[in-house]
Amino acid sequence: NAGVMQNPRHLVRRRGQEARLRCSPMKGHSHVYWYRQLPEEGLKFMVYLQKENIIDESGMPKERFSAEFPKEGPSILRIQQVVRGDSAAYFCASSPQDRNYEQYFGPGTRLTVT
Amino acid sequence: KNQVEQSPQSLIILEGKNCTLQCNYTVSPFSNLRWYKQDTGRGPVSLTIMTFSENTKSNGRYTATLDADTKQSSLHITASQLSDSASYICVAQTGFQKLVFGTGTRLLVSP
């Protein structure tokens, strides 16, 4: 049973471009969470999704950021018109049921905006 | 305001020694307390999860304690190994299912 997979592991974008981060949850997990970790800071919750539904997006900036978890395929975190402040590690986690269950984290995508 | 504070920020110990990491949390309502280990460049890996009714939980050489009255938790590492070098993150879950992360304690085990 493969763990949570994220790709790409490293992504470099110029200011103004779009960044698209992918997350494939563990097999059998239908709940996905996205977190952002700025350098020297703790993880911050961004969004919680179930298949085809956004359950909680209270941690996600209102502009430029969006997330989806379609019926088929990975979850996608999309950042439009990236700025330098978006440079961070973005982690995805999955769980078999809701947030009261253990979350399994992927290796992260390190986004660098130049 | 929901908050998790950890101490120390960083710690260096000699291989084979024990150490204890501290966590104070202020979340309401409280659901459970988690400890994660995060190696450099990797995602966090769960060590323990404790509900308010549990005082202690062990996972190999890692033992976590929880005092729900004082809202404090600790992670004790016994007989440290070089592979224990990592950041240890304390996470409190609220009754509304949100996870509040501490900034971590960076542990370096020196040979």
Side-chain angles (χ1 to χ4, degrees):
Chain A
N1 187 7
V4 177
M5 293 192 290
Q6 292 188 248
N7 67 80
R9 294 293 309 276
H10 300 274
L11 181 62
V12 179
R13 285 286 178 265
R14 291 200 184 99
R15 277 180 297 171
Q17 290 185 319
E18 178 180 285
R20 197 173 284 209
L21 289 61
R22 294 176 191 77
C23 169
S24 296
M26 287 181 70
K27 189 176 180 181
H29 288 193
S30 58
H31 297 249
V32 165
Y33 316 82
W34 285 94
Y35 297 89
R36 177 164 64 175
Q37 186 174 36
L38 295 169
E40 306 301 321
E41 292 190 16
L43 279 81
K44 294 284 195 302
F45 167 77
M46 297 183 74
V47 62
Y48 163 33
L49 310 104
Q50 271 184 279
K51 284 283 188 181
E52 300 185 278
N53 288 309
I54 296 175
I55 307 300
D56 181 356
E57 57 181 349
S58 59
M60 201 151 70
K62 294 285 185 284
E63 297 178 356
R64 302 188 299 108
F65 286 73
S66 63
E68 62 177 15
F69 188 17
K71 189 176 180 181
E72 301 291 338
S75 175
I76 306 285
L77 178 67
R78 186 181 292 111
I79 311 172
Q80 296 177 305
Q81 299 176 320
V82 296
V83 300
R84 288 230 172 95
D86 296 333
S87 295
Y90 292 82
F91 290 96
C92 166
S94 73
S95 66
Q97 295 186 47
D98 65 30
R99 283 190 271 201
N100 288 318
Y101 288 78
E102 183 168 343
Q103 295 182 19
Y104 296 84
F105 284 79
T109 292
R110 272 142 194 88
L111 171 66
T112 302
V113 179
T114 61
Chain B
K1 180 186 174 184
N2 290 329
Q3 203 167 309
V4 173
E5 294 181 342
Q6 294 186 243
S7 63
Q9 268 192 326
S10 60
L11 182 62
I12 302 174
I13 61 173
L14 289 175
E15 186 179 10
K17 296 296 186 184
N18 304 335
C19 67
T20 300
L21 314 180
Q22 302 291 345
C23 172
N24 296 321
Y25 62 92
T26 307
V27 302
S28 181
F30 173 73
S31 176
N32 60 65
L33 194 290
R34 309 175 182 206
W35 282 93
Y36 286 86
K37 178 186 178 186
Q38 185 176 20
D39 291 307
T40 301
R42 310 286 287 272
V45 174
S46 179
L47 295 175
T48 62
I49 300 178
M50 290 182 291
T51 63
F52 66 89
S53 61
E54 296 176 286
N55 297 122
T56 184
K57 184 165 277 190
S58 291
N59 178 359
R61 293 179 297 102
Y62 301 103
T63 299
T65 66
L66 175 65
D67 186 334
D69 291 329
T70 61
K71 300 186 179 180
Q72 294 179 326
S73 177
S74 67
L75 180 70
H76 186 74
I77 304 175
T78 304
S80 60
Q81 300 175 358
L82 297 179
S83 60
D84 292 333
S85 295
S87 285
Y88 291 85
I89 305 171
C90 176
V91 185
Q93 182 168 10
T94 75
F96 304 113
Q97 301 189 334
K98 292 194 183 295
L99 294 182
V100 182
F101 288 77
T103 54
T105 291
R106 193 170 295 177
L107 175 66
L108 176 63
V109 180
S110 175

